[in-house]
Amino acid sequence: MKKSKDDLRGIFLDDVPLFSNPVEWLQSWIDEAEAAEIHDANAMVLVTVDNLGKPGARVVLLKEIINDDLVFYTNYTSRKAHDLMVSDRVAVVFHWRDLDRQIRVEGVASLLSPELSDKYFDSRPEGSKIGAWASPQSKSIPNRAYLETIRTNFEKEFAGKEIPRPSYWGGYRIYIENIEFWKGRDDRLHDRIQFFRAIHGWNYRRLAP
Ligand SMILES: Cc1cc2nc3c(=O)[nH]c(=O)nc-3n(C[C@H](O)[C@H](O)[C@H](O)COP(=O)(O)O)c2cc1C
């Protein structure tokens, strides 16, 4: 059942964080979005910049949180991967409209280890594994039939076999430098709490809406 916006008003922290680690807070907001039956509750807009400093944004799914790093999976020859080769700085936004909540993250992306990428790839359904092999992500292709043909060829090639992870597909982890929690409130006097790294743990401050 969907929660209405008002169910959540007033439970936002006052000026004392409910968690000392904001990543636990992020996880709790995703869990609550899932409980509220929001589709793709783990979807986040990922912003990268190219070699000219031109930003690009797209949605990816947060698949894991490992040692407080945000992990997503993609094609290592995609546009975003090219961007990450020239600049590892990223921005991420989650938005759950029905809960009137937003989270903004700024951080640094790095490649996930091949072992962890293998582990995740092995857990995927067969169709998704074939899809990873079949898509030259972000490249220009002549038409839909081209994609279907590559898919069919890989289906034949891997029929009855274990499907290995393509070397050009895997994860990135985002080290969080700062993370801001936003909760819509009446009269546009929203709550904004930003956490940033301190020598031990995290510090936080309230920002004006
Ligand atoms: C809800 C949603 C989830 C998505 N999840 C992923 C994902 O986890 N990984 C991915 O590579 N692309 C994902 N995509 C597709 C990307 O938005 C994007 O089209 C693709 O990664 C190519 O981006 P690029 O050309 O900027 O590299 C998702 C799209 C949507 C709408």
Side-chain angles (χ1 to χ4, degrees), residues 173-191:
R173 55 194 302 161
I174 299 172
Y175 172 83
I176 300 173
E177 290 185 320
N178 62 67
I179 176 166
E180 181 200 311
F181 296 80
W182 182 101
K183 173 73 185 89
R185 301 286 295 265
D186 289 341
D187 302 325
R188 307 218 168 262
L189 291 179
H190 313 302
D191 283 320

Side-chain angles (χ1 to χ4, degrees), residues 40 43 58-61 73-75 78-81 137-138:
D40 292 330
R58 79 290 287 157
V59 177
V60 294
L61 297 178
Y73 292 89
T74 194
N75 185 305
S78 63
R79 173 178 164 189
K80 71 182 88 51
Q137 194 178 55
S138 315

